[in-house]
mmCIF file of all heavy atoms in Angstrom:
data_model
loop_
_atom_site.group_PDB
_atom_site.id
_atom_site.type_symbol
_atom_site.label_atom_id
_atom_site.label_comp_id
_atom_site.label_asym_id
_atom_site.label_seq_id
_atom_site.Cartn_x
_atom_site.Cartn_y
_atom_site.Cartn_z
ATOM 1 N N PHE R 1495 9.727 11.921 -7.924
ATOM 2 C CA PHE R 1495 9.415 11.934 -6.494
ATOM 3 C C PHE R 1495 10.607 12.423 -5.681
ATOM 4 O O PHE R 1495 10.434 13.232 -4.750
ATOM 5 C CB PHE R 1495 9.004 10.548 -5.995
ATOM 6 C CG PHE R 1495 8.825 10.524 -4.506
ATOM 7 C CD1 PHE R 1495 7.662 11.010 -3.925
ATOM 8 C CD2 PHE R 1495 9.849 10.070 -3.678
ATOM 9 C CE1 PHE R 1495 7.517 11.051 -2.552
ATOM 10 C CE2 PHE R 1495 9.708 10.104 -2.293
ATOM 11 C CZ PHE R 1495 8.543 10.598 -1.736
ATOM 12 N N LEU R 1496 11.810 11.965 -5.995
ATOM 13 C CA LEU R 1496 12.987 12.381 -5.226
ATOM 14 C C LEU R 1496 13.235 13.880 -5.363
ATOM 15 O O LEU R 1496 13.708 14.526 -4.423
ATOM 16 C CB LEU R 1496 14.213 11.572 -5.667
ATOM 17 C CG LEU R 1496 14.174 10.076 -5.321
ATOM 18 C CD1 LEU R 1496 15.430 9.388 -5.819
ATOM 19 C CD2 LEU R 1496 14.015 9.853 -3.814
ATOM 20 N N SER R 1497 12.894 14.436 -6.513
ATOM 21 C CA SER R 1497 13.033 15.890 -6.675
ATOM 22 C C SER R 1497 12.032 16.622 -5.781
ATOM 23 O O SER R 1497 12.352 17.653 -5.185
ATOM 24 C CB SER R 1497 12.845 16.294 -8.142
ATOM 25 O OG SER R 1497 11.495 16.169 -8.544
ATOM 26 N N TYR R 1498 10.806 16.078 -5.666
ATOM 27 C CA TYR R 1498 9.819 16.661 -4.760
ATOM 28 C C TYR R 1498 10.296 16.542 -3.306
ATOM 29 O O TYR R 1498 10.098 17.458 -2.496
ATOM 30 C CB TYR R 1498 8.469 15.962 -4.891
ATOM 31 C CG TYR R 1498 7.719 16.224 -6.178
ATOM 32 C CD1 TYR R 1498 6.743 15.346 -6.633
ATOM 33 C CD2 TYR R 1498 7.970 17.366 -6.935
ATOM 34 C CE1 TYR R 1498 6.037 15.590 -7.799
ATOM 35 C CE2 TYR R 1498 7.276 17.619 -8.106
ATOM 36 C CZ TYR R 1498 6.315 16.718 -8.527
ATOM 37 O OH TYR R 1498 5.623 16.965 -9.689
ATOM 38 N N CYS R 1499 10.889 15.400 -2.989
ATOM 39 C CA CYS R 1499 11.393 15.163 -1.639
ATOM 40 C C CYS R 1499 12.486 16.181 -1.300
ATOM 41 O O CYS R 1499 12.471 16.787 -0.210
ATOM 42 C CB CYS R 1499 11.931 13.733 -1.535
ATOM 43 S SG CYS R 1499 12.506 13.261 0.113
ATOM 44 N N ASP R 1500 13.423 16.386 -2.215
ATOM 45 C CA ASP R 1500 14.492 17.377 -1.993
ATOM 46 C C ASP R 1500 13.911 18.768 -1.800
ATOM 47 O O ASP R 1500 14.334 19.514 -0.908
ATOM 48 C CB ASP R 1500 15.457 17.380 -3.190
ATOM 49 C CG ASP R 1500 16.320 16.127 -3.245
ATOM 50 O OD1 ASP R 1500 16.421 15.428 -2.216
ATOM 51 O OD2 ASP R 1500 16.888 15.863 -4.313
ATOM 52 N N ARG R 1501 12.924 19.099 -2.637
ATOM 53 C CA ARG R 1501 12.303 20.422 -2.550
ATOM 54 C C ARG R 1501 11.584 20.598 -1.219
ATOM 55 O O ARG R 1501 11.616 21.683 -0.622
ATOM 56 C CB ARG R 1501 11.327 20.614 -3.719
ATOM 57 C CG ARG R 1501 10.833 22.039 -3.873
ATOM 58 C CD ARG R 1501 10.069 22.197 -5.165
ATOM 59 N NE ARG R 1501 8.772 21.538 -5.117
ATOM 60 C CZ ARG R 1501 7.940 21.470 -6.147
ATOM 61 N NH1 ARG R 1501 8.292 21.978 -7.319
ATOM 62 N NH2 ARG R 1501 6.772 20.875 -6.029
ATOM 63 N N TRP R 1502 10.946 19.541 -0.749
ATOM 64 C CA TRP R 1502 10.235 19.587 0.534
ATOM 65 C C TRP R 1502 11.215 19.890 1.666
ATOM 66 O O TRP R 1502 10.951 20.734 2.528
ATOM 67 C CB TRP R 1502 9.528 18.256 0.770
ATOM 68 C CG TRP R 1502 8.568 18.261 1.923
ATOM 69 C CD1 TRP R 1502 7.230 18.524 1.883
ATOM 70 C CD2 TRP R 1502 8.886 18.021 3.298
ATOM 71 N NE1 TRP R 1502 6.691 18.446 3.145
ATOM 72 C CE2 TRP R 1502 7.685 18.138 4.030
ATOM 73 C CE3 TRP R 1502 10.062 17.698 3.966
ATOM 74 C CZ2 TRP R 1502 7.631 17.958 5.409
ATOM 75 C CZ3 TRP R 1502 10.015 17.527 5.341
ATOM 76 C CH2 TRP R 1502 8.810 17.657 6.050
ATOM 77 N N HIS R 1503 12.361 19.219 1.680
ATOM 78 C CA HIS R 1503 13.355 19.444 2.728
ATOM 79 C C HIS R 1503 13.974 20.836 2.616
ATOM 80 O O HIS R 1503 14.228 21.490 3.638
ATOM 81 C CB HIS R 1503 14.436 18.360 2.670
ATOM 82 C CG HIS R 1503 13.985 17.032 3.200
ATOM 83 N ND1 HIS R 1503 13.838 16.785 4.550
ATOM 84 C CD2 HIS R 1503 13.634 15.884 2.560
ATOM 85 C CE1 HIS R 1503 13.413 15.538 4.723
ATOM 86 N NE2 HIS R 1503 13.287 14.975 3.538
ATOM 87 N N LEU R 1504 14.221 21.288 1.397
ATOM 88 C CA LEU R 1504 14.793 22.621 1.208
ATOM 89 C C LEU R 1504 13.845 23.721 1.680
ATOM 90 O O LEU R 1504 14.271 24.789 2.123
ATOM 91 C CB LEU R 1504 15.145 22.840 -0.270
ATOM 92 C CG LEU R 1504 16.375 22.081 -0.781
ATOM 93 C CD1 LEU R 1504 16.488 22.215 -2.291
ATOM 94 C CD2 LEU R 1504 17.644 22.602 -0.106
ATOM 95 N N ALA R 1505 12.542 23.442 1.604
ATOM 96 C CA ALA R 1505 11.541 24.433 2.023
ATOM 97 C C ALA R 1505 11.432 24.533 3.540
ATOM 98 O O ALA R 1505 10.728 25.389 4.072
ATOM 99 C CB ALA R 1505 10.183 24.088 1.426
ATOM 100 N N GLY R 1506 12.131 23.630 4.243
ATOM 101 C CA GLY R 1506 12.121 23.677 5.698
ATOM 102 C C GLY R 1506 10.800 23.263 6.300
ATOM 103 O O GLY R 1506 10.316 23.891 7.246
ATOM 104 N N SER R 1507 10.208 22.194 5.763
ATOM 105 C CA SER R 1507 8.887 21.770 6.238
ATOM 106 C C SER R 1507 8.965 20.682 7.306
ATOM 107 O O SER R 1507 7.994 19.980 7.540
ATOM 108 C CB SER R 1507 8.057 21.255 5.058
ATOM 109 O OG SER R 1507 7.902 22.257 4.084
ATOM 110 N N GLU R 1508 10.125 20.520 7.948
ATOM 111 C CA GLU R 1508 10.279 19.482 8.961
ATOM 112 C C GLU R 1508 9.329 19.697 10.136
ATOM 113 O O GLU R 1508 8.853 20.807 10.378
ATOM 114 C CB GLU R 1508 11.728 19.438 9.472
ATOM 115 C CG GLU R 1508 12.698 18.700 8.560
ATOM 116 C CD GLU R 1508 13.135 19.538 7.366
ATOM 117 O OE1 GLU R 1508 12.741 20.722 7.327
ATOM 118 O OE2 GLU R 1508 13.842 19.022 6.495
ATOM 119 N N LEU R 1509 9.100 18.614 10.872
ATOM 120 C CA LEU R 1509 8.230 18.657 12.041
ATOM 121 C C LEU R 1509 8.893 19.498 13.130
ATOM 122 O O LEU R 1509 10.050 19.291 13.473
ATOM 123 C CB LEU R 1509 7.990 17.240 12.556
ATOM 124 C CG LEU R 1509 7.021 17.035 13.715
ATOM 125 C CD1 LEU R 1509 5.615 17.388 13.281
ATOM 126 C CD2 LEU R 1509 7.073 15.590 14.184
ATOM 127 N N SER R 1510 8.161 20.465 13.670
ATOM 128 C CA SER R 1510 8.707 21.319 14.720
ATOM 129 C C SER R 1510 8.616 20.626 16.075
ATOM 130 O O SER R 1510 7.834 19.691 16.259
ATOM 131 C CB SER R 1510 7.945 22.638 14.774
ATOM 132 O OG SER R 1510 6.619 22.415 15.221
#
Side-chain angles (χ1 to χ4, degrees):
F1495 174 80
L1496 293 179
S1497 72
Y1498 289 158
C1499 183
D1500 289 342
R1501 191 171 72 184
W1502 190 93
H1503 285 285
L1504 287 171
S1507 301
E1508 280 79 5
L1509 185 66
S1510 68

